[in-house]
Structures are given as structure tokens and as C-alpha cells.
Amino acid sequence: MFQKDLLKGKTVLITGGGTGLGKSMGLRFAELGANLVLTSRRLPVLEEAAHEMEKKGAKVLVKASDIRKYDEIENVLTEADKVFGGINILINNAAGNFISPTELLSPNAFNSVVGIVLNGSFHATLAAGRRWINRQSGGRVLSIVTPYAWTGSAYVVPSACAKAGVLAMTRSLAVEWGKYKIRLNAIAPGPFPTEQAWENLVPEGFEEKWKKRIPLARTGRHEELANLATFLVSDFADYINGDCITIDGGEWVSGAGEFNMLTEMTPEDWGKMAERFSKNKK
Ligand code: HXC
Ligand code: NAP
């Protein structure tokens, strides 16, 4: 799908790049010639992912940080300046999330998720954006949100509030920083199996129910998301700014259309409806 050196000469910072979708994006970017900066709290996890990316030919810098703390992400960017002369692309991917009846949450539980997802994405975007503006280099930000950033969702209120905020930041800065040639976009994935998301968020038997409400009747494949991310951060998407692309097999629109439940009708049911129409006509 892509030319082999599509991302040659680009350095990509991925927050939460040691696991799940962050790691899958990193591996794809490495295959296409990018160098990488990976950050999250657990250094050994980052080192293991970096090793796999290096095998694909990438130069990889790993540095532990808690993205909730601005100084720590600032240090990551300073290190990237020294090693690579700066980054060209930022992927806001780090997240925390759990399912819970909201009335059982403590204020600290809310702060914990919002701190990682919303404050963390803002911290990384601010640290990268200030550098790009000073250097007049331009830059690209891609944030991983979810379709419930605009629909909301029961039982994940802290995450829904935080992802809505990240989407608002994306659209706001796409306008404000357009003059600096900084593009900001988002991807809203439906369910893509990853170890931690499934551990924290998927009760037993839930995946089968999920598949029933997804028109394409399956969960996402990591390479599908990685390819979309690659396109959006590449030069080929240089006129896409301030948008959010959904990749969910049609899940969220299937819950939205008034008559979508009619997918359950059998050919016989449709026959009965046809009879009813013709009777009414007579
Ligand atoms: C209720 C919980 C909780 C739970 C923690 N807390 N887990 N409350 N239900 N399951 C509360 C704690 O009691 C505490 O509040 C506060 O949250 C902070 O807890 P810590 O253990 O100190 O957590 P912390 O180190 O801040 O870690 C953050 C985390 C953790 C969110 C709690 O789960 C994490 O690091 N997750 C990263 C991985 C992850 O979640 N990935 C999934 C992303 S998928 P008190 O008041 O007791 O101090 C995704 C979208 C999925 O986002 C969409 C699917 C389609
Ligand atoms: P994941 O593997 O749990 O990834 C989350 C990453 O965030 C981890 O690598 C974690 O690393 C890092 N992180 C958490 N708290 C951090 C902190 N305070 N500071 C720095 N890094 C931190 O989950 P995933 O499923 O791949 O999710 C990736 C992204 O996709 C998230 O934004 C998620 O909301 C989004 N998403 C996922 C799905 C899905 O179905 N999987 C659907 C929609 C959206 P450490 O623990 O080492 O810090």
C-alpha cells in the first residue's frame, strides 16, 4: 500500500508506544523508514518494543515518563532534540481507562484517567508545538480518541470526558496552529483487541455481544489502524487538518440510525410488509 521509504527522515514520538496499538503503529512506522521515540511509565516494556522496532531498521530512543507531569514529557522532548534534532510527528496514544458505575468512582479515579488522557495529550502537544513554532519547522499531531468522544458512553465517564477534550483540542489547534504548518488530526477506533484494554474493559462474554452490533461483525486488526495512522501523518495527507477518522466497522453509526434494527428482519418479514403496502394501496 505504501512506498517503502514513505517516512524516511521522520522522527515519530509515540506516547504509550511500548504496548498495544502504540506499539503496532511504531512497528509500521519503523518498516516505512521512520525513527522513533517511545515513552510511558515502564522502561523495560519500552525497551522490549524498541528492540523489535530496531530489527526493522529504525533508530529508537526510549525514555520513561509519567505524561501527567509536564516536566517529564518536556524532558523526553529535550532528549529527542539531542538525539534526533527534534521530532516531526507526535502520536498522542497513552491512555488509562476502566469500567465502573460512575457513582462508585472516587474523585481521584476521575482525575487519574483525565490526567493521563486529556492533560497528558495537552502536555505532549504543547511541548512539541512550542518547538515546531520556534523552529518554523511545521509538525503533525495524531491523537487516538474513540467514537464515544462525541456520543458519550455509560460506565466510562472519565474516559469519555477526556477523549471529548482531546477531540476539542485537535479541532481548536488545527485552526490556531495552521499558520505554523502544524496539522492535527484524530483517529477514533472501535474495539481493537489489546492486552490491557481487554483486561480493564471487557467483561466475560462481552466480545461476542460487541461483534453482533458491529455491521462488519468483527473487531479491528492492528495493521488496519496502523495503516490509517501512517496515511494521516504522511505527506499524502497534507491537506487533512482538524478531522477525526472513525475506524470501527460501522459500529457507532449502527447504534444511531432510527431504522437500523431492521437488519434483523427476515425475507419473510419483508414479504409481509410488501403485502401490507399493497393492501393499503387498494
Ligand atoms: C474504579 C479505579 C479502578 C477501577 C483504579 N481506580 N482502577 N476505580 N474502578 N477499575 C481508582 C483507584 O482507586 C484510585 O483512586 C485512582 O483510580 C488511581 O488509581 P491508581 O491505581 O493509583 O492508578 P494509576 O497509577 O493512576 O493508573 C491509571 C489507571 C490504570 C487508569 C488506573 O488502569 C492504568 O494505568 N491503565 C493503563 C492501561 C489502560 O487502561 N489501557 C486501556 C486503554 S483503552 P483512589 O481514590 O482510591 O485513590 C481505551 C479505550 C477503549 O482507553 C475503548 C474500547 C472500544
Ligand atoms: P494500552 O496497551 O493499555 O496502551 C496504553 C499505554 O498508555 C500503555 O503503553 C501505558 O504504558 C501508557 N500509559 C498509561 N498511563 C500513562 C502515563 N501516566 N504516562 C505515560 N504513559 C502512560 O491500550 P491500547 O488499547 O493500545 O490503547 C491505545 C490507545 O487507543 C488509547 O488512547 C486508547 O484509548 C485508544 N483506543 C483503544 C481502543 C481499543 O479497542 N484497544 C479503542 C479505542 C481507543 P505504561 O503502563 O508503561 O505507562
Side-chain angles (χ1 to χ4, degrees):
M1 182 172 174
F2 299 117
Q3 56 202 54
K4 258 205 140 337
D5 59 352
L6 184 75
L7 298 177
K8 202 169 174 116
K10 306 277 191 225
T11 300
V12 189
L13 164 59
I14 308 178
T15 67
T19 64
L21 295 176
K23 180 177 169 185
S24 297
M25 286 187 275
L27 286 167
R28 188 74 177 113
F29 299 158
E31 270 168 15
L32 295 166
N35 290 325
L36 289 140
V37 182
L38 307 179
T39 190
S40 79
R41 292 164 300 178
R42 292 168 298 161
L43 191 60
V45 172
L46 296 175
E47 283 169 342
E48 209 181 306
H51 191 57
E52 286 182 45
M53 291 169 203
E54 279 160 356
K55 279 196 212 148
K56 294 188 180 284
K59 201 172 162 193
V60 188
L61 166 69
V62 295
K63 191 158 172 64
S65 73
D66 183 336
I67 201 161
R68 286 172 283 195
K69 298 173 186 149
Y70 181 77
D71 288 353
E72 294 196 14
I73 192 72
E74 179 60 34
N75 288 342
V76 175
L77 270 290
T78 304
E79 198 69 26
D81 289 340
K82 285 185 203 148
V83 176
F84 294 114
I87 63 161
N88 310 96
I89 296 161
L90 165 67
I91 311 288
N92 284 320
N93 168 79
N97 199 0
F98 35 72
I99 48 169
S100 173
T102 305
E103 64 276 19
L104 301 183
L105 290 177
S106 69
N108 192 40
F110 183 86
N111 287 342
S112 175
V113 172
V114 171
I116 300 168
V117 176
L118 179 56
N119 299 13
S121 300
F122 179 71
H123 291 159
T125 305
L126 185 66
R130 281 179 172 162
R131 284 170 168 77
W132 291 332
I133 291 167
N134 286 338
R135 292 173 190 157
Q136 301 180 0
S137 61
R140 291 153 197 187
V141 180
L142 180 66
S143 297
I144 311 300
V145 297
T146 74
Y148 63 65
W150 58 90
T151 62
S153 174
Y155 303 108
V156 283
V157 165
S159 173
C161 295
K163 295 289 189 184
V166 175
L167 189 56
M169 177 187 77
T170 300
R171 290 177 173 149
S172 306
L173 287 178
V175 176
E176 195 177 327
W177 286 356
K179 64 179 177 229
Y180 302 121
K181 304 281 180 286
I182 298 172
R183 294 199 287 117
L184 295 97
N185 291 297
I187 291 179
F192 281 71
T194 63
E195 215 178 302
Q196 284 179 95
W198 255 231
E199 181 64 29
N200 286 9
L201 303 169
V202 184
E204 230 179 278
F206 192 67
E207 192 169 343
E208 288 317 304
K209 286 187 191 154
W210 237 339
K211 285 181 189 160
K212 282 191 188 130
R213 61 178 233 147
I214 301 173
L216 295 182
R218 66 170 174 86
T219 52
R221 299 181 187 119
H222 283 214
E223 67 269 23
E224 293 171 326
L225 185 132
N227 282 334
L228 176 59
T230 301
F231 169 67
L232 285 173
V233 300
S234 77
D235 295 347
F236 291 104
D238 251 352
Y239 203 50
I240 302 179
N241 187 27
D243 217 329
C244 178
I245 314 286
T246 307
I247 176 164
D248 72 346
E251 185 186 16
W252 95 263
V253 281
S254 86
E258 199 64 51
F259 290 95
N260 286 353
M261 279 185 303
L262 298 190
T263 49
E264 287 166 13
M265 297 238 307
T266 61
E268 273 172 15
D269 294 332
W270 284 114
K272 282 181 200 156
M273 279 309 291
E275 272 171 35
R276 210 153 101 185
F277 282 138
S278 66
K279 259 189 212 154
N280 285 347
K281 249 187 185 171
K282 278 173 202 158

